[in-house]
Amino acid sequence: MRIVGHKAGKTNDLQASQKSVKGQPAQSPWRLALICVMQYMENLSDRQAADAVRGRIDWKYALSLPLEDSGFNFSALSEFRKRLIKGEAEELLLNRILEQLREKELLKGHKRQRTDSTHILAAIRPLNRLETLGETMRAALNSLAIAAPDWLAKRSKKDWFDRYGRRVENYRLPKLDSEREVLGTQMGEDGFNLLKKVYASNAPQWLHLIPAVEILRQVWVQQFYTPVDGKVQWRSPKDMPPSTIAIHSPYDVEAHYSSKRSVNWVGYKAHVTEICDEDTPNFITHVQTTLSTVTDEVVVEPIHQALSSKSLLPEEHLMDLGYVTAGHLVSAQENYGIELIGPVRNDPTWQAKHHPKFANSNFQIDWDKQVAVCPRGHQSKGWKKKTDSKGQPIINIRFSQLDCSPCPSRSRCTRAKIEPRGLTIHPKSEYTALHSRRKVQHTPKFLKTYNKRAGIEGTISQGVRRSALRQSRYIGLAKTHLQHILIWIGLNLCRLNDWLDGIPLAATRYSRFMTLKPKASSI
Ligand code: SF4
């Protein structure tokens, strides 16, 4: 980590004579890190945090600064964050805090931990399709105006200044669909025209390397068909790329559109893992930030790897339906000795819904003989090992036409017109784990343990209310992740403070009406 700094001492080292390359006073890395954390504990901007260092006695005390210290320019915080990310040192901040807690015996057993995720709004304005086109063109023109002003001035059309001279906002755009289509096609022509000029043999060779120009090229590929005879045509929605790769805004190309239940957003997803043992504070042990389109189940293995590297693996890990799969139930146990506590999806097949007697779970599997026996006692005739679309091993089982064609239960067992019944199942360990979990996941004993997971929602709520977790302050995944690390370190320090002060955890709150439930009559 290349961070200019020196040890804290009695001298005012924020005004030390030692200068960095640009001539600013050198800053102590530990102090800048602590300022960044305190900044998020109070949800302050960089300017407000720099003012707090300069003017608040409690901040000076926490930072071991003399009262007469005159502070520093707020831009030092932004530079510090950039260096942390460049040096891939952001995880160190949380890990050091956890090490310190362990040394002080405050991070004792970690029998049980829980994880949940929440959506994060990107630091950009959500755009509709026309706005995306206009803003992408505008961003490219603005970048070219900085990098090659003379070149651009000679090649810009007059009407480009009307269309892209100021923010492209929906309320200024035409309202009628036909007029919007004409404008979109015009924007497409403008973009192709500009790209043609940028890629011309007599244009400077570095022009197309400007990031905003490359983004323009990518967005135009995603939004338009290749022009035929100079005619530009929008892509139909079915020919558009999926939201995992579609660029929503030229200002943050990693922020994708996503939706979960009733929430639609453009941005990222934050996963937080915390201890939930009875006898220790609920310290946050891991923070993961992903693109918004990454499903929860994908992060289970990275979370366990990270907890293992910190020697913080729990015996039980509480997660909701989105995280727990048959594969994870087995791999978490085999690779890390962790029992995943969480429900798995119910059997999604129509047989399970309408004719449960003919659901997969009612077929007897003889793993040694590689044979399945159907509810009417017929043996399968085919057993093939394959991989599914995600590369996971599966087994395809097929019954005999001779058994299934005349079967009186056929209409309840299969909807195939001619083919016999087929089954697709997981390999033995996953199959057993999946079906065992489905059997127990509605029992009172399981639900009592699983109910402990719900507390993580209070933690996310605390992050949102106290430190504005919901809104990313920065552009890009890496900086957003650093923001999340700083937020959760801050909450760990708040929780440590409360623990040392003997402040108990907040009790679950119920509405006044719900408190009457135990007394209610059984009418
Ligand atoms: S349709 Fe085939 S697999 Fe299904 S119950 Fe009848 S014989 Fe068994």
Side-chain angles (χ1 to χ4, degrees):
M1 185 167 60
R2 289 172 56 245
I3 297 171
V4 180
H6 55 89
K7 285 183 183 174
K10 287 183 181 175
T11 57
N12 180 356
D13 54 1
L14 289 183
Q15 289 183 311
S17 57
Q18 185 186 351
K19 302 283 182 184
S20 68
V21 179
K22 289 183 181 173
Q24 284 179 304
Q27 315 296 333
S28 302
W30 72 267
R31 201 169 268 149
L32 284 169
L34 190 52
I35 291 167
C36 286
V37 171
M38 289 161 63
Q39 169 185 15
Y40 277 99
M41 287 167 81
E42 299 193 16
N43 192 21
L44 303 180
S45 66
D46 285 359
R47 283 173 194 267
Q48 289 170 324
D51 283 346
V53 172
R54 205 164 16 250
R56 277 176 53 179
I57 194 168
D58 53 342
W59 278 54
K60 284 189 192 292
Y61 181 77
L63 296 165
S64 301
L65 288 172
L67 283 177
E68 66 274 16
D69 186 272
S70 60
F72 58 93
N73 188 284
F74 69 92
S75 60
L77 294 175
S78 165
E79 286 165 19
F80 177 65
R81 289 192 298 266
K82 273 186 205 155
R83 287 181 196 154
L84 278 177
I85 289 168
K86 195 174 171 192
E88 297 180 357
E90 59 270 42
E91 299 289 340
L92 277 178
L93 299 176
L94 179 59
N95 293 349
R96 285 278 156 82
I97 293 279
L98 294 171
E99 282 165 20
Q100 289 291 313
L101 291 172
R102 192 170 12 221
E103 272 177 31
K104 304 277 186 261
E105 297 188 352
L106 289 159
L107 196 63
K108 294 178 192 163
H110 17 86
K111 184 172 176 291
R112 203 175 269 166
Q113 295 188 35
R114 55 193 175 196
T115 295
D116 200 9
S117 68
T118 191
H119 63 285
I120 305 296
L121 307 176
I124 53 166
R125 163 173 76 104
L127 304 173
N128 62 32
R129 196 173 174 185
L130 261 186
E131 287 174 319
T132 298
L133 292 176
E135 281 297 318
T136 305
M137 185 70 185
R138 194 169 81 95
L141 289 171
N142 277 329
S143 291
L144 286 166
I146 295 168
D150 296 335
W151 179 90
L152 183 63
K154 283 181 197 151
R155 288 159 182 83
S156 292
K157 292 187 170 183
K158 282 221 171 86
D159 52 354
W160 288 7
F161 294 94
D162 298 331
R163 274 197 287 281
Y164 313 112
R166 54 183 178 169
R167 252 163 77 119
V168 180
E169 294 184 278
N170 196 46
Y171 78 91
R172 292 201 193 105
L173 301 178
K175 302 289 174 283
L176 290 176
D177 285 351
S178 54
E179 291 174 354
R180 291 173 77 88
E181 195 170 335
V182 169
L183 177 61
T185 308
Q186 181 62 60
M187 286 176 172
E189 283 172 15
D190 294 343
F192 282 118
N193 197 337
L194 180 62
L195 287 169
K196 200 171 160 190
K197 289 176 165 63
V198 165
Y199 281 89
S201 56
N202 60 353
Q205 289 303 297
W206 47 268
L207 280 187
H208 70 276
L209 299 176
I210 294 171
V213 174
E214 172 56 15
I215 292 168
L216 173 71
R217 188 191 67 76
Q218 290 181 22
V219 170
W220 256 237
V221 168
Q222 294 180 355
Q223 298 280 351
F224 297 98
Y225 296 108
T226 308
V228 179
D229 299 331
K231 200 171 168 226
V232 171
Q233 200 187 345
W234 289 39
R235 281 186 187 274
S236 64
K238 71 176 175 47
D239 285 339
M240 299 271 291
S243 59
T244 47
I245 54 172
I247 295 174
H248 183 84
S249 165
Y251 305 114
D252 189 347
V253 293
E254 291 178 304
H256 297 295
Y257 172 84
S258 191
S259 67
K260 187 175 179 183
R261 297 189 200 106
S262 58
V263 180
N264 306 314
W265 80 102
V266 176
Y268 301 93
K269 214 187 250 187
H271 301 261
V272 57
T273 303
E274 69 174 6
I275 289 172
C276 55
D277 290 340
E278 303 288 337
D279 55 346
T280 58
N282 294 344
F283 288 126
I284 285 111
T285 54
H286 185 64
V287 183
Q288 185 106 19
T289 311
T290 65
L291 301 180
S292 63
T293 47
V294 173
T295 54
D296 290 350
E297 63 179 76
V298 173
V299 303
V300 174
E301 176 65 20
I303 289 174
H304 288 161
Q305 273 177 12
L307 292 176
S308 174
S309 69
K310 300 177 198 182
S311 304
L312 277 173
L313 284 174
E315 291 168 25
E316 294 176 349
H317 197 169
L318 280 59
M319 298 174 143
D320 69 18
L321 189 79
Y323 292 91
V324 183
T325 64
H328 290 321
L329 286 171
V330 175
S331 63
Q333 188 70 58
E334 285 180 355
N335 301 337
Y336 302 100
I338 296 174
E339 183 182 359
L340 280 195
I341 308 283
V344 291
R345 289 186 200 287
N346 289 324
D347 186 344
T349 60
W350 64 269
Q351 292 99 331
K353 207 170 173 187
H354 302 296
H355 305 292
K357 193 183 166 192
F358 296 93
N360 287 7
S361 56
N362 283 322
F363 285 66
Q364 304 300 316
I365 309 290
D366 187 329
W367 297 96
D368 295 330
K369 291 184 185 159
Q370 299 194 339
V371 163
V373 180
C374 78
R376 294 195 69 90
H378 297 286
Q379 285 196 352
S380 62
K381 299 297 177 210
W383 179 286
K384 266 191 195 162
K385 291 180 182 172
K386 290 187 170 179
T387 51
D388 64 12
S389 57
K390 294 177 185 167
Q392 299 301 315
I394 51 168
I395 298 167
N396 273 351
I397 299 172
R398 193 146 287 276
F399 283 82
S400 164
Q401 186 96 326
L402 293 175
D403 294 328
C404 293
S405 289
C407 177
S409 306
R410 185 182 167 91
S411 62
R412 286 177 285 151
C413 189
T414 177
R415 282 177 175 167
K417 284 194 178 131
I418 299 168
E419 287 84 17
R421 170 75 191 256
L423 285 182
T424 301
I425 61 171
H426 293 282
K428 185 178 179 183
S429 49
E430 280 94 340
Y431 179 91
T432 310
L434 184 71
H435 287 268
S436 309
R437 180 56 52 89
R438 280 183 182 150
K439 271 185 194 158
V440 301
Q441 66 191 16
H442 299 297
T443 61
K445 189 180 168 203
F446 180 88
L447 290 174
K448 191 178 172 199
T449 309
Y450 179 64
N451 279 347
K452 292 270 177 203
R453 189 211 67 88
I456 191 84
E457 281 158 18
T459 297
I460 289 174
S461 170
Q462 193 181 14
V464 170
R465 284 179 287 111
R466 179 166 195 140
S467 305
L469 168 72
R470 178 74 66 232
Q471 180 72 56
S472 176
R473 284 192 188 189
Y474 313 117
I475 297 296
L477 180 65
K479 284 185 180 173
T480 303
H481 178 52
L482 176 58
Q483 175 183 343
H484 296 165
I485 288 177
L486 295 170
I487 286 174
W488 297 122
I489 292 173
L491 286 187
N492 269 351
L493 295 182
C494 292
R495 288 174 176 197
L496 174 63
N497 198 39
D498 288 349
W499 177 265
L500 295 175
D501 285 350
I503 299 172
L505 292 175
T508 304
R509 283 179 289 177
Y510 296 99
S511 68
R512 298 297 287 270
F513 178 61
M514 278 302 286
T515 58
L516 301 179
K517 192 178 175 187
K519 299 177 194 166
S521 66
S522 56
I523 300 169

